[in-house]
Amino acid sequence: MDRLSDSAILKKIERQPKSTAGFKQLVRELGLHGAARQELSDRLQSMVSSGQLIQVDSDRYTIPKAAAGKNVLVGKLSMHRDGYGFVTPDATSLDERLKAQLAGDIFIPPPAVGSAMHGDRVLVELGTIRPDGRAEGRIVRPVVRAHSTVVGIFHYGNRGNYVRPIDQKISQEIVIPPGMENPQAPSSAGVSTAVPKASRPRQDDATLFKKQKSVDRVLGQEAARRTEWDDLENAVVDVEITDWPSATQNPRGRVVEILGYEDDFGVDVEIIIRKFHLPHRFPPEVLDEAQRIEPIIQAPVAQRRRDFRDLPIVTIDGETARDFDDAVTVRQIDGGNYELQVHIADVAHYVTPDSLLDQEARLRGTSVYFPDRAVPMLPLELSTDICSLRPQVERLVLSCVMKIDHRGEILSYELSEGIIRSAERMTYTDVNAVLEGDTGTRKRYANLVGTFEMMRDLALVLNRKRERRGSIDFDLPEPVIEFDEFGLMKSITRSERNIAHRLIEEFMLSANECVAGYLESKRVASLYRVHEKPDAKRVYDFEVIAAAFGYSLGVGALPIQKVQFKSERRASYGTDKRPREIEIPKEVHITPRMYQKLTEKIAGKPEERILSYLMLRSLKQARYSEENLGHFALAAPTYTHFTSPIRRYPDLIVHRILKEVLRDATQDHGARSPSAAKEAVAEGPSPWSKRRDHAAHRASLEPLSGPISLEELHDIAEESSRSERRADEAERDLMEWKKVKFMQDRVGEDFDGLIISVTKFGFFVELTDLFIEGLVPLDSLTDDRYTYHENTREIIGQRNRKTYRLGQEIRVLVDRIDPVEKKIQFALLEEKPQRPSKRKRR
């Protein structure tokens, strides 16, 4: 009902004295009864979680901006292992006055943290705001607790048992009272969550539980788990917080799960899953719903769809993949043009809005992939069976059929619901072998060789088109962990990216752009994958470093703006003291073509690795948004994610929207391609440079419509972006842990390396071809007194003038490994001969 919308509640509270209202007051003034009271309570908590409201006591709520007038705001707390923290303010908490004064996060000294813990959303009272914009504050109280569980190492102590958290940002030990050492549920310690089971099986249905145990699992090899524990010393446990910390008391909790010892096989993944709070157990009711889905496609359903079953359509994935959500084929058509078909699993046919499966998928947001297993977004019945485009099995799809000319321009496209029967499950390795001329592989897939060759030709055409419009292609190698037959790590190698990877990438990019352009042309509210222009400050920082190597993005002289803080002006008023000015880069004209040209210049050069890495660091992070802001790196004015609905929730949402539009407008199939407007010609401007005019034109059109409201799409975009970042952090954290384990037996060995970062306390070195990073501390350089020069980002000896700089090749020895912090320390062994520096005199 309208009176319970977020905007109605906010308006009601805003009209109250001090913009504050109580729950009972809102119930009375909104005239609510019965179930509507509970709905209001749930909505208020949701608005507190999203930052729209602040809960000032048990049943009173206020608008953040009203509190901000008293220098009180809401933000997310990020703790440091030494006990202090920083709060990142919510944008909605800042009024114009604070926006002008603050220049970053708010520092929270250890005594001012109070009962808050890392990740909590907190209410902060600001103290001193310095002239440079730095601020210090005190946490009034947590608004929303981030997590109720903590994973750590169990210890017995003279004053009681405790758990030391593995996440060093949680500095307080968790006290475990007597009797709380063992999980209450007998099964929770005995069943590995590498094979996640249902939280609680129905006691009258043992058969169902056995079935759940077999399918509700993390994909990959499970860790063996002990079932009985007499001694928990040094065991890894998951603890539920029962009493939150205070200024005088540590948090208290109870053990809910025993994972094993830290060095046991597979326990590292279990730790990461719990450290990042990845949902990894499907509730029984979700599994029930998945198991009730009918796998057989009924004849009426198939008859309503376009039939692609007789075409040579194939999936191309990695050797270990089990969730095949895309299939492709290419053929030559009239006039030398190509027809590219991209077929994507129709997950939306099975996962319907607001179903239990849908709610669980939205909670997870994405599948998470680790080196030897995965945490899927959907139960295995769907992700590896009913929705997966397995070979020689009929599957429902959403299809994008594109007509493409010899320059890669999409002349037209057709979007439809379809049905396919994949001809073959191909791997990147086999497709590459076919295209490289391997006799045995070509003989095995003789009936598909012509199709693969046509795919390669089209992929090269599409790639050249993207190059013409200025799309950036960072071909940075990534580490891949290889395991032996016992599942133990044996090496870290460079990932292979061959022509098969590239052709699938080009085909998916084309389909994503077609779907995004189609929905936008229909003025339908949808989700977009956006990548905004980089900040001027990051471009400036990169230009300074690139200049040391003799390169530039070509942005020219960066305009500098001198600013004064209001507090500085007030402090100097009536005195002879001049307010201090701070220089910051102004808005800079930057295009993706500038990045593209520089990547071409450094290709194959010794400095390619470090400059490509720094260029990537200078760019913003891509995210999901209900507003189309274009995609900078792809030089695409309109882009979305459509091609992976099995493993990404935003793709599933785009499928739902597209299916609804197709049902309402079947006559619009074959809509005109965005590329037909000749936006991407070799000598013409980048389509990115046209984006602002394009956006202004869109804004002048009629309002957006569609099956999902903009407000709901905004929430989905925010949640999905957070889930994606959480998954990336978890994958990265585990990879770093695996690297440290790999190097434990190599202490004392020496390796070639590259300096990738220089700081005031030393320089970081990446080992060549191993992608393993470690620190050479400044105090370990004993042949001279070395100092860090911030303006040139170099470490220079005072007497011998020996210099260590970015991109320098050196030889290092693995000196020691910190098992607690999971960090590697190197010692400088010898220097490799250096090429003359290209540094330009300033």
Side-chain angles (χ1 to χ4, degrees):
M1 59 178 68
D2 292 341
R3 60 183 173 176
L4 275 187
S5 66
D6 288 359
S7 59
I9 294 172
L10 288 172
K11 286 178 182 177
K12 179 64 70 176
I13 295 176
E14 196 170 20
R15 295 192 188 105
Q16 308 307 314
K18 299 182 180 179
S19 295
T20 302
F23 175 73
K24 292 181 180 178
Q25 178 187 357
L26 290 171
V27 168
R28 184 175 60 254
E29 297 193 9
L30 290 170
L32 304 179
H33 304 281
R37 292 168 59 96
Q38 183 59 47
E39 185 181 347
L40 173 64
S41 177
D42 294 342
R43 191 172 287 274
L44 287 171
Q45 291 305 315
S46 174
M47 294 171 72
V48 168
S49 299
S50 65
Q52 296 179 77
L53 291 176
I54 297 172
Q55 188 172 352
V56 292
D57 54 38
S58 61
D59 72 340
R60 293 186 65 77
Y61 303 87
T62 187
I63 296 175
K65 289 185 178 179
K70 301 176 183 177
N71 278 1
V72 178
L73 49 81
V74 174
K76 183 178 178 180
L77 173 64
S78 179
M79 292 295 296
H80 188 273
R81 65 183 182 185
D82 291 335
Y84 61 85
F86 290 90
V87 171
T88 304
D90 291 350
T92 55
S93 296
L94 298 176
D95 58 18
E96 295 304 319
R97 176 176 60 88
L98 286 178
K99 284 180 181 177
Q101 288 181 310
L102 289 176
D105 296 344
I106 301 155
F107 174 70
I108 310 294
V113 172
S115 64
M117 296 179 70
H118 173 68
D120 289 349
R121 293 189 67 255
V122 294
L123 188 65
V124 179
E125 182 181 6
L126 284 178
T128 306
I129 300 180
R130 298 181 183 178
D132 60 1
R134 290 185 295 172
E136 186 173 311
R138 175 185 71 87
I139 293 178
V140 178
R141 62 176 180 79
V143 176
V144 179
R145 292 290 184 179
H147 305 291
S148 61
T149 59
V150 174
V151 64
I153 310 297
F154 186 94
H155 295 288
Y156 295 103
N158 295 329
R159 297 184 179 180
N161 304 331
Y162 63 94
V163 169
R164 179 171 292 125
I166 287 176
D167 189 344
Q168 294 185 19
K169 292 181 179 180
I170 305 175
S171 56
Q172 294 177 299
E173 295 167 347
I174 316 295
V175 176
I176 308 297
M180 296 291 185
E181 302 91 347
N182 289 301
Q184 293 179 0
S187 61
S188 59
V191 181
S192 168
T193 48
V195 189
K197 63 183 187 313
S199 300
R200 184 173 299 168
R202 286 184 283 183
Q203 296 178 0
D204 59 345
D205 196 347
T207 305
L208 173 62
F209 176 54
K210 289 178 182 178
K211 185 176 182 182
Q212 287 174 351
K213 183 178 173 182
S214 68
V215 297
D216 175 24
R217 57 176 296 163
V218 174
L219 294 178
Q221 188 172 359
E222 61 184 272
R225 190 79 64 81
R226 289 173 54 178
T227 57
E228 295 182 2
W229 291 84
D230 297 325
D231 184 1
L232 286 178
E233 181 64 29
N234 289 321
V236 180
V237 298
D238 202 23
V239 176
E240 180 185 13
I241 304 295
T242 56
D243 297 290
W244 298 101
S246 66
T248 58
Q249 178 179 293
N250 278 26
R252 299 161 72 85
R254 67 181 185 91
V255 176
V256 294
E257 194 173 17
I258 304 171
L259 304 180
Y261 292 114
E262 202 171 0
D263 292 330
D264 288 350
F265 173 78
V267 171
D268 51 1
V269 178
E270 305 293 346
I271 290 172
I272 293 297
I273 286 173
R274 287 154 186 81
K275 176 181 175 182
F276 288 92
H277 302 276
L278 301 174
H280 58 285
R281 287 192 182 97
F282 289 102
E285 56 272 20
V286 173
L287 291 174
D288 287 346
E289 189 171 279
Q291 290 159 8
R292 287 197 303 267
I293 292 176
E294 176 57 56
I296 299 174
I297 300 171
Q298 301 300 319
V301 174
Q303 289 167 5
R304 290 195 299 268
R305 291 170 174 260
R306 184 170 173 185
D307 194 340
F308 299 95
R309 284 175 286 190
D310 294 332
L311 297 178
I313 297 168
V314 298
T315 60
I316 305 176
D317 294 275
E319 274 77 3
T320 59
R322 292 173 61 184
D323 49 350
F324 313 129
D325 46 17
D326 58 86
V328 296
T329 192
V330 173
R331 59 184 179 183
Q332 202 101 35
I333 56 175
D334 57 287
N337 295 320
Y338 296 93
E339 181 185 83
L340 167 62
Q341 294 186 12
V342 175
H343 304 281
I344 308 299
D346 190 357
V347 180
H349 179 81
Y350 301 101
V351 182
T352 55
D354 298 322
S355 64
L356 295 175
L357 282 166
D358 179 51
Q359 294 172 32
E360 184 70 17
R362 180 169 176 175
L363 174 68
R364 296 180 176 223
T366 181
S367 296
V368 187
Y369 295 93
F370 297 117
D372 59 345
R373 69 193 84 175
V375 182
M377 183 181 80
L378 297 171
L380 304 194
E381 289 92 343
L382 293 171
S383 60
T384 66
D385 187 10
I386 296 173
C387 294
S388 186
L389 308 183
R390 294 161 55 196
Q392 305 303 326
V393 180
E394 292 183 357
R395 287 290 181 257
L396 302 181
V397 292
L398 275 181
S399 303
C400 181
V401 180
M402 293 157 273
K403 182 179 179 181
I404 304 173
D405 68 14
H406 68 283
R407 287 175 53 82
E409 302 298 335
I410 300 176
L411 304 176
S412 64
Y413 56 77
E414 179 182 353
L415 301 169
S416 63
E417 293 179 314
I419 182 170
I420 69 166
R421 184 188 296 110
S422 171
E424 197 70 59
R425 181 268 200 262
M426 299 298 300
T427 66
Y428 294 118
T429 303
D430 284 344
V431 173
N432 185 63
V434 168
L435 297 176
E436 290 292 322
D438 181 80
T439 305
T441 313
R442 289 176 71 90
K443 184 177 179 180
R444 180 181 173 186
Y445 301 110
N447 60 325
L448 293 170
V449 169
T451 300
F452 292 142
E453 290 176 340
M454 208 171 303
M455 287 183 184
R456 175 196 57 200
D457 296 343
L458 176 57
L460 295 174
V461 168
L462 291 171
N463 185 257
R464 286 194 292 270
K465 179 194 73 172
R466 285 202 302 117
E467 286 181 359
R468 289 198 303 272
R469 76 183 190 189
S471 179
I472 311 169
D473 186 9
F474 291 115
D475 196 6
L476 289 173
E478 294 183 356
V480 174
I481 294 178
E482 293 187 346
F483 299 89
D484 61 20
E485 64 272 22
F486 305 107
L488 300 176
M489 184 169 56
K490 66 176 183 179
S491 65
I492 300 175
T493 60
R494 179 187 297 257
S495 62
E496 280 291 327
R497 186 166 176 247
N498 56 43
I499 183 61
H501 292 89
R502 293 179 181 275
L503 68 85
I504 287 296
E505 179 182 295
E506 293 294 342
F507 296 170
M508 298 304 113
L509 288 173
S510 296
N512 285 335
E513 287 191 50
C514 285
V515 171
Y518 178 75
L519 292 177
E520 188 180 42
S521 70
K522 293 296 177 185
R523 299 296 297 154
V524 174
S526 184
L527 282 182
Y528 296 92
R529 182 66 170 178
V530 301
H531 186 225
E532 295 153 282
K533 191 172 75 170
D535 291 328
K537 178 68 167 61
R538 286 183 176 269
V539 174
Y540 173 79
D541 290 343
F542 173 77
E543 283 288 82
V544 170
I545 297 173
F549 293 90
Y551 295 101
S552 171
L553 285 168
V555 295
L558 289 169
I560 299 296
Q561 179 183 9
K562 295 183 178 181
V563 298
Q564 297 175 349
F565 288 102
K566 291 180 181 178
S567 53
E568 286 270 355
R569 293 200 296 270
R570 284 197 298 266
S572 62
Y573 183 76
T575 68
D576 294 332
K577 185 178 178 182
R578 180 183 176 86
R580 187 165 62 93
E581 294 181 331
I582 296 177
E583 293 185 347
I584 59 173
K586 294 173 68 176
E587 185 74 14
V588 61
H589 173 68
I590 185 76
T591 67
R593 193 182 298 279
M594 294 175 177
Y595 280 85
Q596 182 201 64
K597 287 182 177 179
L598 185 52
T599 59
E600 293 170 355
K601 284 182 182 178
I602 63 177
K605 304 285 181 63
E607 56 270 20
E608 179 184 15
R609 169 72 176 157
I610 185 66
L611 285 180
S612 294
Y613 169 75
L614 293 172
M615 269 195 284
L616 191 61
R617 289 275 304 271
S618 74
L619 296 172
K620 287 188 176 181
Q621 192 171 20
R623 61 185 177 88
Y624 296 104
S625 174
E626 78 285 2
E627 182 183 0
N628 180 18
L629 302 174
H631 199 293
F632 180 84
L634 294 175
T638 308
Y639 192 69
T640 193
H641 272 172
F642 159 77
T643 53
S644 298
I646 291 178
R647 61 184 178 90
R648 291 191 305 228
Y649 191 72
D651 300 53
L652 174 57
I653 292 298
V654 170
H655 274 230
R656 280 188 189 145
I657 295 170
L658 178 60
K659 283 166 70 74
E660 193 70 29
V661 174
L662 290 178
R663 288 192 194 104
D664 294 341
T666 53
Q667 69 275 16
D668 290 331
H669 290 184
R672 188 165 178 260
S673 159
S675 300
K678 300 295 183 185
E679 288 181 328
V681 293
E683 67 281 358
S686 163
W688 180 261
S689 64
K690 299 181 180 181
R691 183 179 61 80
R692 291 188 178 178
D693 294 338
H694 183 56
H697 175 65
R698 288 199 312 266
S700 66
L701 299 176
E702 67 274 8
L704 295 174
S705 61
I708 305 178
S709 69
L710 280 173
E711 292 77 11
E712 181 73 4
L713 287 171
H714 172 79
D715 291 343
I716 293 171
E718 291 287 313
E719 294 167 14
S720 299
S721 296
R722 284 196 297 269
S723 296
E724 179 187 38
R725 288 192 292 270
R726 178 181 64 183
D728 288 343
E729 290 170 8
E731 293 168 8
R732 188 164 51 245
D733 201 34
L734 181 67
M735 182 63 75
E736 293 306 312
W737 196 340
K738 293 277 191 186
K739 290 177 183 179
V740 168
K741 277 188 176 182
F742 180 72
M743 297 301 290
Q744 281 178 340
D745 297 331
R746 289 162 177 78
V747 174
E749 296 182 19
D750 53 286
F751 301 88
D752 289 332
L754 184 76
I755 297 179
I756 60 171
S757 178
V758 181
T759 70
K760 61 184 178 182
F761 51 82
F763 50 87
F764 288 92
V765 176
E766 183 182 78
L767 302 186
T768 306
D769 294 329
L770 279 180
F771 307 98
I772 291 173
E773 183 180 316
L775 174 70
V776 176
L778 191 66
D779 55 17
S780 70
L781 305 175
T782 57
D783 62 325
D784 198 353
R785 182 181 177 85
Y786 287 87
T787 56
Y788 173 63
H789 293 244
E790 187 172 5
N791 59 333
T792 60
R793 291 175 174 81
E794 294 175 331
I795 289 177
I796 303 176
Q798 292 184 355
R799 295 191 309 274
N800 58 24
R801 308 307 295 171
K802 191 181 292 183
T803 302
Y804 298 99
R805 62 171 65 92
L806 280 170
Q808 186 172 332
E809 296 176 353
I810 58 175
R811 187 91 178 163
V812 294
L813 177 140
V814 182
D815 187 27
R816 68 185 186 90
I817 292 175
D818 188 326
V820 177
E821 295 188 28
K822 307 290 188 296
K823 292 181 179 178
I824 303 171
Q825 184 171 305
F826 295 142
L828 188 65
L829 192 62
E830 64 181 62
E831 293 180 68
K832 302 191 80 175
Q834 298 298 308
R835 301 173 183 79
S837 174
K838 295 183 179 180
R839 182 180 301 279
K840 296 180 180 179
R841 292 186 177 275
R842 298 175 66 87

